[in-house]
Every structure is written in structure tokens, then in C-alpha cells.
Amino acid sequence: MSSLADDVEAGFRRRFSYAPAGIWSAPGRVNLIGEHTDYNEGFVLPFAIDRRTFAALALRDDDVVRVSSGESDETVEVRLADAAEGPAVLDGVSGDARWAAYPLGVVWALGQLGADLAGLPGFDVHFDSDVPIGAGLSSSAAIEGALAVALNEVWRLGFDGSRLVDVCHRAENDFVGAPTGILDQSASLLSREGSALFLDCRDGSSEPVDLGLQASDLAILVIDTKVKHEHVSGGYAERRAACETAARELGVRALRDVSWPQLLAARDTLDGIVYRRARHVVTEDQRVLDTVAALRAQDYAAVGDLMFASHRSMRDDFEISTPELDLAVEISLNYGAIGARMTGGGFGGSVIALTPVSAITQVQVAIDGAFAEHGYTGPEMFLVWPSQGAHRER
Ligand code: ADP
Ligand code: MG
């Protein structure tokens, strides 16, 4: 059924001239609601999507590790012992092959979290993916997750899902050097088909929440605006710092610990911008809880209202939206979506719209028209379905 599984197997044979021992895969993700709550130790509600990264892998009988990808012409070869040491293993590697930090980071992190790498054989791995890279759908968590489940099995490590989340999170933060919360890796590794993952970013606990989309004739449309503004990292750092300031001044460990009445009471003591940043986080945590309750009651109108409230909060209080994202939300709602919001870190990226299947075409046509009218780059639009987390394919 899945032709990417065939492609990755053929790719492995081409690059390494023998057959892989197995094929594993892990999905990208979108976040239904709960933005900038992860580093405030709050709640998020992502789901794995039906776009995946496939890993074809075989163990070797020496300690060599070779990593290869359909996205890159270069195969990177290192010794397992050197990968176990840390990021310096990539010192001699060319710029084009820096992507190898993701898989080699997983190897290193498995060692950091308890695998005895010195006693294990090397491996060859080839990746192929239909997760758009760098589009905010977390191709990075997908490549990490696919390799983590593969190595967990062939090396017989016996790590459970939440330990693999820690492994991939560690790889991306401390080896690749990209600071992220546990949202992406949890969604890619732990999601169940048809469900979102209700995740508590304080203790890492999670539970599936049935989305019931198909039974309700609903779909999630992704509208990728293709816009990425330059102040992404600066803006992100400023938002994080404002949240830390608010937590400190309110005398709590994280904004997770602040109730809405408490925040309101502190209104006059906090700096105006800090107050609005905190208001987004505190109300967004509550919206995640309310969305979980609404999904369990199959009250999709309420889910839609919460999505739009989340968007307004990001637009007005957290100030991380863009005119393109705002337009995509507005047009989606005007043409039949029951909820829409920007998703991801902000300053560009994608909108998700909860849309009756019967209205999808009219929403897409209206968005194309409105973007053209405003002189914006034509967005890319596609449906995503809640899918199974990382697993073995064959
Ligand atoms: P996102 O996770 O939103 O797609 P990131 O910047 O976090 O964007 O991660 C993208 C990076 O992950 C790519 O630049 C590349 O280095 C690496 N990557 C992801 N998927 C693959 C793949 N299939 N093959 C090679 N590298 C990949
Ligand atoms: Mg990423």
C-alpha cells in the first residue's frame, strides 16, 4: 500500500548494495491547540499526521554507522564509538551533510539514556520522507522517531515510548542544538490513529483523545502560507523571556501554576506586555483543557470556537501572527470552516482549519482568491488525518 516503504527499501539497496533487515516509520505532526504552553509546563494537544519518514535499516558486523537520505546525495560514515562521544563526530562533515546530526544525535542520546553503545554493532540506515521539511510539520521529530524505534528494536534496548521521547528530545536539543519542548517527539512517537495526544508538558504524561473526524464528516485543512519571517528566533526568545518574567513576579515555578483570577489580580503590578504574554499562556492552557472536554462531548462547534479564540490570543496578546495567517483564518471561517487558527511557533508557517468535508473546496478556492488579491504568495493546502505514531512497517 505504502509506496514510500518500497522507495526507502529500494533506496537502501541502491546506496548500500544489499537488503535492509526492516523498515520503520514515524510521522510528522500538527498541534490542534496549545501554543507556547509547552515551555510553560502546560498542556498541548497535537496529533500525528499521515505524512511519515521511513527508515530502512540493517545491523552490520563491525562498528561502522552509515546514514543516508533521499534528501541528500551524501552518505555520512562514522564509528559508533565516535557518535557515542557527542556532536564533535560531525566536525569533519561537510555542510551538505549536517542533517546527519539528527540521526547521529539519536544514537548519542540512546547512549546518554542508558544504552551501552560500546557493546553494540554498527548499522546502515537510509531515510525517505513525505513530511515537508522545515514547514513546521516536524520532519525533525519524524526522522528522530523513525530511527529511535528501529534501533530500540534491532539493538533490543527495551526502551518504552516515553523514554524514546526523552531520547529524541535530547538528540534535538543537546546534539543538534535546536531548543524545543517535548511536543513534537511525543506526538510522533506516542500518537494513536484517529486521536489527538493530550500531553502534560510538566510530567510528560499523555493520553489519546478521539478526534472522531471521519464519523463527523470533518477534516483538518492545513494552509501553509510559505511565509517565514526573519525575527523568528528573536521573537521566540522574547516570548520565552516574558513568560519567565511573569512566572518569577507571580512567585510560581511556571505559568502553568497561575490561574486566570490570580493573573487578573496581578494586572496592575505586571508590565503591560508581560501581562498580555502571560494572559495568552494562562488562557491557552485552559483552552486545551476545554478542547479535550469538547472533543469528548463531540461538541465540534465548541472546538471551533476555542480554535478561533486561540488564534485571537496569539494575534493580539502573544503577537506572533502575520497578516497572511490572519487572512487564512478569516477566509476559512467565512467560507465554512468551523474553527481555524495558526499553528506552530508563529511569525509565519501554517493555519489549520477544522472544516466540513463538503466545504473544503470552497474554502480552498476562496483562500487562493484572497491571497492573490492581496498579492501574497500562493499558499499550499492539503488535508491531514490523525495517524499512528512511530512503528515497524515490515
Ligand atoms: P521541521 O521539523 O519543521 O520540518 P526543522 O528545522 O526542525 O523543521 O527540521 C528540519 C531538518 O531536519 C532538515 O533541515 C534536515 O536537517 C533534517 N531532516 C528532516 N527530515 C529529513 C530527511 N528525511 N532526510 C534528511 N534530513 C532530514
Ligand atoms: Mg522540527
Side-chain angles (χ1 to χ4, degrees):
M1 182 194 110
S2 184
S3 72
L4 256 185
D6 295 336
D7 290 352
V8 79
E9 181 162 350
F12 183 100
R13 286 172 186 275
R14 238 185 344 267
R15 303 255 174 138
F16 301 125
S17 304
Y18 69 104
I23 312 279
W24 291 259
S25 77
R29 61 95 190 94
V30 296
N31 192 22
L32 185 62
I33 197 160
E35 224 65 72
H36 289 266
T37 47
D38 57 348
Y39 55 81
N40 290 295
E41 302 186 9
F43 305 107
V44 294
L45 192 62
F47 64 89
I49 60 173
D50 52 330
R51 287 169 175 249
R52 311 181 73 87
T53 296
F54 289 73
L57 183 140
L59 290 180
R60 298 172 55 95
D61 45 24
D62 57 18
D63 78 335
V64 167
V65 170
R66 291 189 293 178
V67 298
S68 150
S69 166
E71 304 294 326
S72 166
D73 293 332
E74 251 176 284
T75 298
V76 173
E77 178 173 331
V78 301
R79 300 222 162 257
L80 182 54
D82 294 332
E85 288 296 310
V89 67
L90 283 171
D91 279 353
V93 166
S94 84
D96 285 352
R98 297 301 298 178
W99 68 272
Y102 292 84
L104 295 179
V106 168
V107 171
W108 170 81
L110 283 167
Q112 295 296 304
L113 283 146
D116 178 18
L117 298 179
L120 291 166
F123 61 90
D124 291 328
V125 64
H126 179 72
F127 299 99
D128 262 318
S129 181
D130 65 359
V131 185
I133 289 181
L137 298 177
S138 209
S139 68
S140 57
I143 190 172
E144 293 154 8
L147 182 60
V149 290
L151 290 176
N152 190 40
E153 185 177 334
V154 298
W155 278 344
R156 300 174 190 276
L157 299 176
F159 285 18
D160 65 8
S162 74
R163 191 134 159 231
L164 293 179
V165 169
D166 290 342
V167 165
C168 295
H169 181 238
R170 204 57 194 276
E172 186 147 350
N173 278 266
D174 298 340
F175 193 102
V176 177
T180 60
I182 57 168
L183 186 161
D184 299 352
Q185 292 83 10
S186 300
S188 185
L189 283 158
L190 306 178
S191 288
R192 301 226 189 119
E193 180 153 14
S195 295
L197 190 76
F198 175 36
L199 175 66
D200 181 335
C201 296
R202 169 158 281 170
D203 64 9
S205 62
S206 64
E207 63 182 296
V209 179
D210 188 15
L211 284 171
L213 295 179
Q214 254 145 338
S216 311
D217 285 319
L218 291 167
I220 303 266
L221 177 68
V222 174
I223 304 145
D224 178 3
T225 66
K226 308 242 174 195
V227 178
K228 205 76 202 162
H229 287 282
E230 278 159 22
H231 48 281
V232 176
S233 54
Y236 185 80
E238 188 270 337
R239 300 312 183 274
R240 272 192 93 130
C243 292
E244 281 162 21
T245 302
R248 198 171 48 244
E249 293 189 10
L250 292 162
V252 293
R253 174 172 141 176
L255 285 179
R256 151 75 172 272
D257 300 309
V258 179
S259 69
W260 174 230
Q262 274 174 300
L263 182 64
L264 208 54
R267 185 179 187 141
D268 298 328
T269 63
L270 291 177
D271 166 76
I273 289 188
V274 169
Y275 174 75
R276 281 193 291 119
R277 304 291 189 251
R279 182 164 64 183
H280 165 70
V281 173
V282 170
T283 59
E284 185 80 351
D285 265 334
Q286 187 61 47
R287 281 187 289 270
V288 176
L289 301 176
D290 292 347
T291 301
V292 169
L295 285 168
R296 288 190 171 134
Q298 293 181 305
D299 183 351
Y300 294 102
V303 173
D305 290 345
L306 287 159
M307 289 172 74
F308 186 42
S310 170
H311 184 76
R312 289 197 308 267
S313 178
M314 289 186 280
R315 183 189 66 195
D316 302 335
D317 276 353
F318 223 58
E319 297 180 284
I320 54 173
S321 191
T322 65
E324 295 87 350
L325 291 166
D326 293 342
L327 182 67
V329 166
E330 183 198 321
I331 301 293
S332 298
L333 294 173
N334 286 349
Y335 284 83
I338 58 178
R341 60 184 284 277
M342 52 153 284
T343 183
F347 308 107
S350 299
V351 160
I352 52 170
L354 178 64
T355 311
V357 169
S358 60
I360 287 165
T361 306
Q362 71 193 36
V363 167
Q364 286 181 304
V365 169
I367 286 181
D368 270 330
F371 271 60
E373 205 175 295
H374 282 75
Y376 296 160
T377 305
E380 196 170 322
M381 292 180 264
F382 49 91
L383 298 178
V384 288
W385 295 101
S387 300
Q388 185 72 25
H391 59 80
R392 184 171 186 156
E393 295 279 336
R394 57 168 88 143

